[in-house]
Amino acid sequence: MNPLVTNEVLGVLALQATLACMPNRTVELTNSLLILPLIFNKRIRSILKNKNVVYIGSRDLVLSFPKEFSAVGNHFLDLSATSVNTILLACEMGIAEFDEKTLSLTSEIFTSANSKSVGQLGAEIFLAAPRLAKVLEENGTELYQNFRIVL
């Protein structure tokens, strides 16, 4: 299978899992572009799914784990096209819809977080999604500054 397609399909799973944990199942469109760079990084995903890590804010995460979060800007640039394609694919599949400023979850097609259904990576994404949703509730400007993403 084409790795790009795999990334986009797993991206749709990550998008759905994260939006399902958001208040009102909605996220700012700018923050939605951070889902793939954060969830596709194995070290960051392991931090997000670790229940022993206390979440206070994105700045605290960056200060507590500088090595892991130092490359988020590069991951953002590398995955920006895939993030946009993932959002468009989710909209085409009827999972999400977006307007000028927000992306909203409309339905869920990945209903099982079982590793037999979605694979090991998919199961890890489902475990990390609630924490990622908490991160994405922050102001977009602060997130981009904390993760040192320059546009």
Side-chain angles (χ1 to χ4, degrees), residues 17-28 102-105 129-130 132-138:
T18 305
L19 285 172
C21 298
M22 297 291 294
N24 301 324
R25 298 163 63 111
T26 302
V27 66
E28 290 180 32
T102 61
L103 181 69
S104 304
L105 184 67
L132 180 58
K134 286 280 191 202
V135 171
L136 297 177
E137 288 178 27
E138 293 182 36

Coordinates of all heavy atoms in Angstrom, one line a residue, residues 17-28 102-105 129-130 132-138:
A17 N -10.5 10.3 15.9 CA -10.3 10.0 17.4 C -10.1 11.3 18.2 O -10.6 11.4 19.3 CB -9.1 9.1 17.5
T18 N -9.4 12.3 17.6 CA -9.1 13.5 18.3 C -10.4 14.4 18.4 O -10.7 14.9 19.5 CB -8.0 14.3 17.6 OG1 -6.9 13.4 17.5 CG2 -7.6 15.5 18.4
L19 N -11.1 14.5 17.3 CA -12.3 15.3 17.3 C -13.4 14.8 18.2 O -14.1 15.5 18.8 CB -12.9 15.5 15.9 CG -12.1 16.4 14.9 CD1 -12.6 16.3 13.5 CD2 -12.2 17.9 15.4
A20 N -13.4 13.4 18.3 CA -14.4 12.8 19.2 C -14.2 13.2 20.6 O -15.1 13.1 21.5 CB -14.4 11.3 19.0
C21 N -12.9 13.6 21.0 CA -12.6 13.9 22.4 C -12.7 15.4 22.6 O -12.5 15.9 23.7 CB -11.2 13.4 22.7 SG -11.0 11.6 22.6
M22 N -12.9 16.2 21.6 CA -12.9 17.7 21.7 C -14.3 18.1 22.2 O -15.3 17.5 21.9 CB -12.7 18.3 20.4 CG -11.3 18.1 19.8 SD -10.0 18.9 20.6 CE -10.3 20.6 20.4
P23 N -14.4 19.2 22.9 CA -15.6 19.8 23.3 C -16.4 20.2 22.1 O -15.9 20.7 21.1 CB -15.3 21.0 24.1 CG -13.9 20.9 24.5 CD -13.2 20.0 23.5
N24 N -17.7 19.8 22.0 CA -18.5 20.0 20.8 C -18.0 19.4 19.6 O -18.5 19.7 18.5 CB -18.7 21.5 20.6 CG -19.3 22.3 21.7 OD1 -20.2 21.7 22.4 ND2 -18.9 23.5 22.0
R25 N -17.1 18.5 19.7 CA -16.5 17.7 18.6 C -16.0 18.6 17.5 O -16.1 18.3 16.3 CB -17.5 16.7 18.1 CG -17.9 15.7 19.1 CD -19.2 14.9 18.9 NE -19.1 14.1 17.7 CZ -19.1 12.8 17.7 NH1 -19.2 12.2 18.8 NH2 -19.1 12.2 16.5
T26 N -15.4 19.8 17.9 CA -15.0 20.8 17.0 C -13.6 21.3 17.4 O -13.3 21.4 18.6 CB -16.0 22.0 17.0 OG1 -17.3 21.5 16.6 CG2 -15.6 23.1 16.0
V27 N -12.8 21.6 16.4 CA -11.5 22.2 16.6 C -11.2 23.3 15.6 O -11.8 23.3 14.5 CB -10.4 21.1 16.5 CG1 -10.2 20.6 15.1 CG2 -9.0 21.6 17.0
E28 N -10.4 24.3 16.1 CA -10.0 25.4 15.1 C -9.3 24.7 14.0 O -8.5 23.8 14.1 CB -9.1 26.4 15.8 CG -9.8 27.3 16.8 CD -8.8 28.2 17.4 OE1 -7.9 28.7 16.8 OE2 -9.0 28.5 18.6
T102 N -13.4 26.5 11.6 CA -13.5 25.2 12.5 C -13.6 24.0 11.6 O -14.1 24.0 10.5 CB -14.6 25.3 13.5 OG1 -15.9 25.4 12.7 CG2 -14.5 26.4 14.4
L103 N -13.2 22.9 12.2 CA -13.4 21.6 11.6 C -14.2 20.8 12.6 O -13.9 20.7 13.8 CB -12.0 20.9 11.4 CG -12.1 19.5 10.8 CD1 -12.5 19.6 9.4 CD2 -10.7 18.9 10.9
S104 N -15.3 20.2 12.2 CA -16.2 19.5 13.1 C -16.4 18.0 12.7 O -16.4 17.7 11.5 CB -17.6 20.2 13.0 OG -17.5 21.5 13.4
L105 N -16.5 17.2 13.6 CA -16.8 15.7 13.4 C -18.3 15.6 13.2 O -19.1 16.0 14.0 CB -16.4 14.9 14.6 CG -16.5 13.4 14.5 CD1 -15.5 12.9 13.5 CD2 -16.2 12.8 15.8
A129 N -5.3 10.2 21.7 CA -6.2 11.2 21.2 C -6.8 12.0 22.3 O -6.9 13.3 22.1 CB -7.3 10.5 20.4
P130 N -7.3 11.5 23.5 CA -7.8 12.4 24.5 C -6.9 13.5 25.0 O -7.2 14.6 25.2 CB -8.2 11.4 25.6 CG -8.4 10.1 25.0 CD -7.4 10.1 23.8
L132 N -4.3 14.6 23.2 CA -4.0 15.5 22.1 C -5.2 16.5 22.0 O -5.0 17.7 21.7 CB -3.9 14.7 20.8 CG -3.7 15.6 19.5 CD1 -2.4 16.4 19.6 CD2 -3.6 14.7 18.3
A133 N -6.4 16.0 22.2 CA -7.6 16.9 22.2 C -7.4 18.0 23.3 O -7.7 19.2 23.0 CB -8.8 16.1 22.5
K134 N -6.9 17.7 24.4 CA -6.6 18.7 25.5 C -5.6 19.7 25.0 O -5.8 20.9 25.2 CB -6.1 18.0 26.8 CG -7.2 17.3 27.5 CD -8.0 18.3 28.3 CE -8.8 17.6 29.3 NZ -9.9 18.4 29.7
V135 N -4.6 19.3 24.3 CA -3.6 20.2 23.8 C -4.2 21.1 22.8 O -3.9 22.3 22.8 CB -2.4 19.4 23.2 CG1 -1.4 20.3 22.4 CG2 -1.6 18.6 24.2
L136 N -5.0 20.6 21.9 CA -5.6 21.4 20.8 C -6.7 22.3 21.3 O -7.1 23.2 20.5 CB -6.1 20.5 19.7 CG -5.1 19.6 19.0 CD1 -5.7 18.7 18.0 CD2 -4.0 20.5 18.4
E137 N -7.1 22.2 22.5 CA -8.1 23.2 23.1 C -7.4 24.6 23.3 O -8.1 25.6 23.5 CB -8.7 22.7 24.4 CG -9.6 21.5 24.2 CD -10.2 21.0 25.5 OE1 -10.2 21.8 26.5 OE2 -10.5 19.8 25.6
E138 N -6.1 24.6 23.4 CA -5.4 25.9 23.6 C -5.5 26.8 22.4 O -5.8 26.3 21.3 CB -3.9 25.6 23.9 CG -3.7 24.9 25.2 CD -2.2 24.6 25.5 OE1 -1.4 25.5 25.2 OE2 -1.9 23.6 26.1

